[in-house]
């Protein structure tokens, strides 16, 4: 929020103004934090990144990455933390 950069290890400490940098394939994404109730996620409305399993409702070590296509179709990509 004030221009400082910090790596957060506890996802519950993420505050407004936070963003995530993703380096995946040939893409570099910088997604701002969403404030959807009950989840920690980041989106620019085309790409969406979340640490919460939607079915189980718990935080996981295999985040979700989704892409919204121009047609409105959603593509899910399998992820794992390295």
């Amino acid at each position: 929020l004030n221009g400082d950069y910090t790596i957060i290890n506890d996802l519950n400490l993420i505050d407004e103004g936070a963003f995530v940098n993703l380096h995946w394939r040939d893409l570099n994404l910088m997604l701002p934090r969403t404030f959807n109730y009950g989840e920690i996620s980041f989106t620019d409305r085309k790409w969406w990144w979340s640490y919460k399993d939607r079915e189980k409702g718990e935080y996981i070590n295999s985040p979700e990455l989704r892409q919204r296509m121009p047609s409105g179709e959603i593509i899910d990509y399998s992820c794992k933390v390295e």
Side-chain angles (χ1 to χ4, degrees):
L1 188 61
N2 62 6
D4 291 339
Y5 293 92
T6 304
I7 295 174
I8 301 292
N9 294 316
D10 182 350
L11 297 176
N12 292 311
L13 298 178
I14 294 176
D15 205 349
E16 60 187 77
F19 58 89
V20 65
N21 286 315
L22 301 175
H23 306 286
W24 176 67
R25 296 184 179 173
D26 292 330
L27 294 174
N28 291 310
L29 302 172
M30 183 175 163
L31 305 177
R33 168 82 154 86
T34 65
F35 287 94
N36 299 332
Y37 179 77
E39 73 177 22
I40 296 173
S41 61
F42 302 82
T43 188
D44 64 0
R45 297 189 180 184
K46 176 179 179 180
W47 293 96
W48 180 80
W49 176 263
S50 176
Y51 291 96
K52 192 164 193 176
D53 184 311
R54 285 174 282 155
E55 293 177 14
K56 295 180 182 177
E58 60 190 38
Y59 296 108
I60 53 176
N61 286 328
S62 53
E64 296 180 75
L65 179 63
R66 304 177 98 192
Q67 180 183 12
R68 181 183 306 273
M69 304 303 291
S71 66
E73 175 189 5
I74 303 292
I75 299 174
D76 290 308
Y77 297 97
S78 298
C79 303
K80 65 179 182 176
V81 175
E82 294 183 355

